[in-house]
Amino acid sequence: MCIRDRTQTVIDLTFTKFAEKGVKRMKYDQFLKGIAECATKKGVSEADLKAKITASGGPAYKGTKADAVKWHDDKALYTGVYAQGGPTNVDKDKITSISQTCDRTAADVRGTKK
């Protein structure tokens, strides 16, 4: 565990050996047994391996950061409908109710207007 010259397969096998069946996380005592196993296989003391793991600082969580894209980031460069604030399905200055968007006049059986 946390040993660079170990392959992911060896680490997975060590995890499987000491973790409870069907779990994705091992308990602390199981982790200590795994460290003992790795130290034995590597030929170093448990204390040295624990010190190496502690010095590593833990996992590094890294995400991707989007590049700067001037056409997306600078709203002054927007064109078309997006320059006016984006599309809308309601014209706020013209439509005040659904009756203005639907033709509700009488129609015959076929749906055609009289």
Side-chain angles (χ1 to χ4, degrees):
M1 311 195 174
C2 291
I3 303 172
R4 291 186 188 250
D5 59 341
R6 297 242 174 234
T7 64
Q8 187 66 41
T9 305
V10 173
I11 293 171
D12 286 342
L13 289 172
T14 305
F15 177 88
T16 304
K17 183 176 182 180
F18 292 103
E20 295 174 6
K21 188 173 183 177
V23 298
K24 292 185 178 184
R25 294 179 185 223
M26 62 172 45
K27 296 178 181 169
Y28 185 68
D29 62 323
Q30 297 165 339
F31 178 71
L32 293 177
K33 289 177 186 175
I35 289 176
E37 173 85 10
C38 288
T40 303
K41 286 184 179 181
K42 189 154 175 78
V44 297
S45 70
E46 283 184 51
D48 290 341
L49 185 56
K50 287 178 185 177
K52 188 174 183 179
I53 292 170
T54 304
S56 73
Y61 299 105
K62 297 184 235 176
T64 57
K65 184 170 177 159
D67 292 335
V69 179
K70 71 177 182 175
W71 302 111
H72 179 267
D73 299 336
D74 187 2
K75 292 188 178 187
L77 298 176
Y78 283 7
T79 59
V81 74
Y82 296 98
Q84 305 303 319
T88 179
N89 59 354
V90 177
D91 294 327
K92 293 180 178 79
D93 58 338
K94 297 176 186 167
I95 299 174
T96 58
S97 74
I98 193 165
S99 65
Q100 294 172 315
T101 61
C102 299
D103 182 8
R104 295 184 180 253
T105 59
D108 64 10
V109 179
R110 299 178 68 196
T112 56
K113 299 293 176 183
K114 293 183 182 178

